[in-house]
Amino acid sequence: MALLVLFKDAHAAKSIRFLTAGELQSSLLSESENIRFNGRNYIMGVVDALMLTKASPVCMDEKTEINAITDLIRLQMQQRPDLLRYNAASVVREVMVANFPCV
């Protein structure tokens, strides 16, 4: 019973940290289609949250496809490896703000 409690606490502690941009990039470059799909869905979730935020500095056309956004974010992370140590959601946000500004 004590071992189960320790395992539960260790698992809970591990699951509360944020996804890094490096981890997101790894998922987007994975050979596994399911893992790539998960990375793409993570990006889509961040973008959806940005679009629902009233004060969001992100404005994009309704016809912009998630695959185009995913490609843009993946390319930005490949070109700027310094971003990989940061929180993945903040990197997605910054790429979106830079490429889809509200003007």
Side-chain angles (χ1 to χ4, degrees), residues 17-28 84 88:
R17 70 176 184 78
F18 292 103
L19 183 72
T20 67
E23 292 167 328
L24 176 59
Q25 182 187 45
S26 292
S27 69
L28 296 174
L84 300 180

Side-chain angles (χ1 to χ4, degrees), residues 34-94:
N34 286 337
I35 295 173
R36 286 192 313 272
F37 183 75
N38 290 340
R40 187 189 72 133
N41 285 343
Y42 178 88
I43 291 170
M44 190 166 43
V46 173
V47 171
D48 283 347
L50 288 171
M51 299 308 293
L52 291 173
T53 305
K54 291 181 181 179
S56 177
V58 175
C59 296
M60 64 181 190
D61 189 298
E62 292 176 1
K63 296 177 183 177
T64 304
E65 294 188 10
I66 188 63
N67 290 336
I69 293 170
T70 300
D71 290 344
L72 179 65
I73 292 166
R74 185 177 55 239
L75 178 64
Q76 192 65 219
M77 289 189 297
Q78 288 173 331
Q79 292 176 345
R80 297 202 40 216
D82 58 302
L83 296 176
L84 300 180
R85 64 188 171 113
Y86 295 108
N87 174 294
S90 66
V91 171
V92 170
R93 181 189 180 279
E94 292 308 310

